Amino acid sequence: MNDATRLPTAREHTARLIEALRAVEPELTTVEHWGRHLARVLGDGGRVLACGNGGSAADAQHFTAELVGRYRDDRAPFSAICLSSETSSLTAIGNDYGYDEVFARQVRGHGRPGDVLLAISTSGTSANVLRAAEAAREVGVEVWSLTGPGPNALSERSDASVCVDAPATATVQEVHGVLVHAVCAAFDRVVLGLDDVEGNPTDLLAATEDPPGNGAVVIDVRDKVRTARGGAR
Ligand SMILES: O=C(CO)[C@@H](O)[C@H](O)[C@H](O)[C@H](O)COP(=O)(O)O
Ligand SMILES: [Zn+2]
């Protein structure tokens, strides 16, 4: 059996993962930004949607569960829906409109301007995920994607994306899992007012990273964050 068809040993598998994690390091500022931006969107009553197929469906579901439940520390729940977990919607839409529409139709149903869609695809070419990204942009939902090597069709349909440059689907999925947790940690650092990696208190106002003049949103976030912290002022 030649090297292309041979399945890696556990040691080789782990070595490939370490290499892929090193390669994705320049993208970590993007996922930190996503976490901080989500704190503003969800704190203001917005919503995040997530979707993917197979292992990426599991990643999408894992992500939304961290936000509705909790990542590490206790806090208020936030609105996050995994479109791949809605079995009755998935089967009905798939049956009535075709599998390519299963996520897009849900995006049109749940998404509101300013919301975020996290679209996950290792190939970056799955038709139902591409349709979801297109539908999101049509209704004013921001599209972030986690993909394999890029650029690809999904990254080209996204407002921002992190493309993991690894040849194996399994490795890409494993790196996506790390990135999902990194987004959640950045989100919680803002919501819970925890120190950032340099030991500086995370400043909620700075975290919005929006130009001045959007005061109402910031105030709303502060209220939600106070609730998230259990009402402490
Ligand atoms: O988990 C795995 C492979 O590790 C599979 O279930 C894999 O997710 C499926 O083949 C998906 O259909 C792949 O879709 P995508 O990541 O290319 O969008
Ligand atoms: Zn898998």
Side-chain angles (χ1 to χ4, degrees), residues 53-56 120-124 126 129 169-170 173:
N53 293 292
S56 299
I120 310 177
S121 171
T122 59
S123 61
S126 291
V129 181
T169 301
Q173 288 175 341

Side-chain angles (χ1 to χ4, degrees), residues 55-77:
S56 299
D59 287 338
Q61 186 172 9
H62 190 157
F63 176 60
T64 57
E66 308 281 38
L67 295 166
V68 182
R70 67 178 183 191
Y71 173 57
R72 191 189 69 177
D73 301 336
D74 188 35
R75 55 152 167 71

Side-chain angles (χ1 to χ4, degrees), residues 1 7 25 28 36 53 57 74-75 78-80 84 92-93 100 125 136-137 143 145 158 160 173 189 211 232:
M1 196 178 277
L7 279 165
E25 252 186 56
L28 297 182
R36 293 195 301 272
N53 293 292
D74 188 35
R75 55 152 167 71
F78 289 88
S79 182
S84 342
I93 298 167
D100 290 356
T125 60
R137 296 187 72 163
V143 181
S145 61
S158 304
Q173 288 175 341
R189 275 201 305 278

Side-chain angles (χ1 to χ4, degrees), residues 32-205:
E32 288 277 338
H33 171 76
W34 286 358
R36 293 195 301 272
H37 184 82
L38 259 194
R40 182 170 71 87
V41 172
L42 304 192
D44 192 35
R47 172 173 291 157
V48 63
L49 309 173
C51 68
N53 293 292
S56 299
D59 287 338
Q61 186 172 9
H62 190 157
F63 176 60
T64 57
E66 308 281 38
L67 295 166
V68 182
R70 67 178 183 191
Y71 173 57
R72 191 189 69 177
D73 301 336
D74 188 35
R75 55 152 167 71
F78 289 88
S79 182
I81 300 176
C82 178
L83 308 180
S84 342
S85 312
E86 289 281 338
T87 47
S88 292
S89 292
L90 276 179
T91 52
I93 298 167
N95 202 30
D96 299 345
Y97 297 94
Y99 193 64
D100 290 356
E101 279 302 305
V102 290
F103 301 140
R105 192 172 172 86
Q106 293 187 75
V107 167
R108 290 194 198 93
H110 295 301
R112 301 289 178 268
D115 288 351
V116 171
L117 169 72
L118 180 66
I120 310 177
S121 171
T122 59
S123 61
T125 60
S126 291
N128 55 357
V129 181
L130 298 182
R131 293 270 186 103
E134 288 161 0
R137 296 187 72 163
E138 278 164 29
V139 298
V141 169
E142 195 167 337
V143 181
W144 301 340
S145 61
L146 293 176
T147 78
N152 52 61
L154 179 57
S155 69
E156 283 163 1
R157 286 162 177 74
S158 304
D159 295 292
S161 57
V162 175
C163 303
V164 175
D165 195 15
T169 301
T171 307
V172 172
Q173 288 175 341
E174 285 152 14
V175 175
H176 285 175
V178 171
L179 299 177
V180 159
H181 277 156
V183 173
C184 294
F187 176 90
D188 269 17
R189 275 201 305 278
V190 174
V191 167
L192 296 166
L194 303 177
D195 289 354
D196 69 13
V197 278
E198 269 94 39
N200 305 310
T202 303
D203 181 349
L204 184 62
L205 287 168

